[in-house]
Amino acid sequence: MEDKDLQRLTEEISLAFFKVPFQHNATFNPRLKTTGGRYLTSTSNIEINKKYYDALGIEELVGIIKHELCHYHLHIRGRGYKHRDQDFRKLLKEVGAPRFCTPIHTASTKPKAFRIYKCVDCQQIYKRIRKVNTIKYRCGKCRGKLEEMQKNVDIKE
């Protein structure tokens, strides 16, 4: 699917579900990492993450487009278009748009490894993703010396 196909699909969904034409641009944005799409209030354009279409198919793409069109049509009319607004939540239900997109697991969403540090004096444990300079930094509880216990332990949260 290319940008012109996405534009046509977005215009069709807008007419079918909202009964109002979509008069701006819908494009794929390869830089989106953690979201299915976004509505740009400054230009009224919609950007979609192509990875969601590739991984989950056309139905997920249609859901993301409906969600972004809810933002679009409410913003154009001057009504509450943000996630917390009642107008937005009501319109989501009316058109059957998802509030959140289905998460896809990519290399950028894998759990990060972290390091475990322990205070020599009070035994306080610290988990950090970045390496801590144990000469420069001390325990926040008792000001004792820190020592590294384990490296590269996977986070399971």
Side-chain angles (χ1 to χ4, degrees):
M1 180 176 275
E2 296 177 18
D3 283 348
K4 62 181 179 179
D5 301 323
L6 178 66
Q7 179 72 30
R8 186 176 37 77
L9 179 62
T10 305
E11 290 170 0
E12 290 171 4
I13 291 171
S14 182
L15 285 173
F17 289 94
F18 298 89
K19 311 290 189 253
V20 181
F22 175 69
Q23 298 176 332
H24 289 83
N25 296 323
T27 57
F28 286 114
N29 183 345
R31 294 182 312 276
L32 294 179
K33 300 287 184 200
T34 60
T35 183
R38 68 179 173 185
Y39 168 66
L40 303 168
T41 57
S42 59
T43 61
S44 296
N45 292 335
I46 291 176
E47 295 179 342
I48 303 292
N49 187 341
K50 193 167 192 318
K51 293 180 192 97
Y52 279 81
Y53 170 67
D54 295 337
L56 301 172
I58 191 75
E59 287 189 25
E60 185 69 21
L61 179 65
V62 169
I64 292 169
I65 291 171
K66 283 183 189 177
H67 179 100
E68 300 309 325
L69 282 172
C70 287
H71 289 295
Y72 171 79
H73 288 297
L74 290 170
H75 182 251
I76 295 294
R77 289 186 210 139
R79 298 178 60 201
Y81 64 92
K82 296 180 180 176
H83 286 111
R84 66 178 176 262
D85 295 328
Q86 287 300 321
D87 290 335
F88 179 75
R89 292 184 184 191
K90 184 180 174 193
L91 188 57
L92 280 179
K93 286 182 183 175
E94 287 176 12
V95 299
R99 183 136 183 250
F100 305 103
C101 55
T102 307
I104 56 173
H105 299 287
T106 62
S108 64
T109 60
K110 73 175 188 168
K112 295 182 179 181
F114 67 90
R115 300 166 183 261
I116 298 178
Y117 295 91
K118 185 173 168 183
C119 175
V120 175
D121 296 338
C122 70
Q123 310 303 309
Q124 174 72 30
I125 302 290
Y126 296 94
K127 295 178 183 175
R128 297 291 180 265
I129 292 175
R130 292 186 178 194
K131 186 176 180 179
V132 172
N133 181 351
T134 56
I135 296 169
K136 184 176 178 182
Y137 293 98
R138 300 296 207 135
C139 174
K141 191 174 177 183
C142 73
R143 309 293 298 151
K145 184 174 173 16
L146 297 176
E147 70 177 13
E148 188 168 7
M149 302 302 294
Q150 293 177 314
K151 290 182 187 179
N152 300 328
V153 179
D154 283 332
I155 297 173
K156 301 293 183 197
E157 292 178 11

